[in-house]
């Protein structure tokens, strides 16, 4: 069985999936981001030495921390929403409201963390 | 607003296959990781926070209770952090997270690689990758 899609990239980008589609994309980006980070992190602590210190210097930079914290926090909160609505399928009807709640939980935590990361990066 | 009724087939008609087991595993392992991380944070609070350990170090320990996550910080007493108990908790988190993550990567690959041959190759690579990461990870947790 070979799946064939007749959707061009341009029309895919114009697809109005709105909230659920956005969380789906961000969940995927977050998952891949974490997988790459954890792989590099385990390998770096295994290899150690100069390569390990070099890898350390990458993920100690504030830009990377802002990115990886987005991945972890969004993936965790969105994953919890998916888990809850999948274990109690009746709740799927309310998924748009659940996504609003999700952003209401995510944005304050992420905002505070980004503020602290940038404040630390500026040296104080 | 239109309400869509979810289709609920009984388990006997739906059948149990590997993909279904992994679907439920992904959900349950997410909950398990929440529990393990919370557990490690509580452990870090008991062992270190009362000695002015900062929040970033507590969280770093929480996401992976592994000795190398505290030995470079200014934690005075390393001994409580390197017990077999915490290495076992770390190993459990490693196993759950690796299985969850590698299955997630396979699901993503399946969206873009659609030929049966390609999917076979993806599965082979993912199994090799998963075993390698588990072995290396366990080595790091138990020896460093």
């Amino acid at each position: 069985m070979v799946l064939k899609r007749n959707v061009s990239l341009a029309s895919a980008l114009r697809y109005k999936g709105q909230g659920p589609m956005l969380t789906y994309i961000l969940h995927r980006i977050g998952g891949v981001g974490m997988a790459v980070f954890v792989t590099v992190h385990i390998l770096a602590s295994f290899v150690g030495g100069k390569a390990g210190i070099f890898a350390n210097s990458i993920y100690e930079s504030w830009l990377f921390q802002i990115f990886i914290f987005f991945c972890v926090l969004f993936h965790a909160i969105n994953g919890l929403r998916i888990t809850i609505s999948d274990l109690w399928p009746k709740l799927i009807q309310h998924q748009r409201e659940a996504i609003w709640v999700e952003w209401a939980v995510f944005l304050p935590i992420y905002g505070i963390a980004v503020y602290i990361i940038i404040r630390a990066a500026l040296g104080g | 607003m239109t309400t869509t009724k979810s289709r609920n087939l009984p388990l006997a008609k739906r059948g149990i296959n590997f993909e279904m087991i992994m679907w439920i595993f992904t959900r349950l392992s997410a909950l398990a990781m929440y529990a393990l991380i919370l557990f490690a944070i509580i452990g870090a609070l008991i062992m270190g926070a009362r000695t002015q350990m900062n929040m970033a170090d507590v969280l770093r320990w929480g996401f992976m209770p592994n000795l190398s996550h505290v030995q470079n910080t200014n934690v005075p007493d390393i001994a409580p952090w390197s017990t077999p108990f915490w290495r076992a908790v770390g190993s459990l988190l490693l196993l759950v997270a690796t299985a969850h993550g590698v299955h997630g990567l396979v699901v993503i690959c399946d969206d873009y690689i659609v030929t049966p041959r390609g999917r076979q190759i993806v599965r082979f690579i993912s199994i090799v990758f998963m075993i390698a990461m588990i072995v290396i990870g366990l080595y790091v947790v138990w020896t460093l």
Side-chain angles (χ1 to χ4, degrees), chain A residues 54-117:
Chain A
F54 173 70
N56 258 320
S57 67
I58 293 175
Y59 43 71
E60 277 171 4
S61 84
W62 61 278
L63 271 174
F64 187 84
Q65 288 190 350
I66 288 176
F67 170 71
I68 201 67
F69 190 66
F70 179 87
C71 293
V72 172
L73 191 66
F74 190 85
H75 201 89
I77 294 175
N78 193 49
L80 191 61
R81 173 184 68 84
I82 294 171
T83 303
I84 291 172
S85 55
D86 275 350
L87 293 182
W88 289 277
K90 280 181 184 167
L91 295 177
I92 292 175
Q93 286 179 18
H94 306 289
Q95 67 154 334
R96 280 174 191 275
E97 289 81 357
I99 288 170
W100 285 113
V101 174
E102 183 188 323
W103 285 113
V105 174
F106 173 80
L107 287 176
I109 300 177
Y110 188 62
I112 292 171
V114 166
Y115 169 72
I116 291 173
I117 291 171

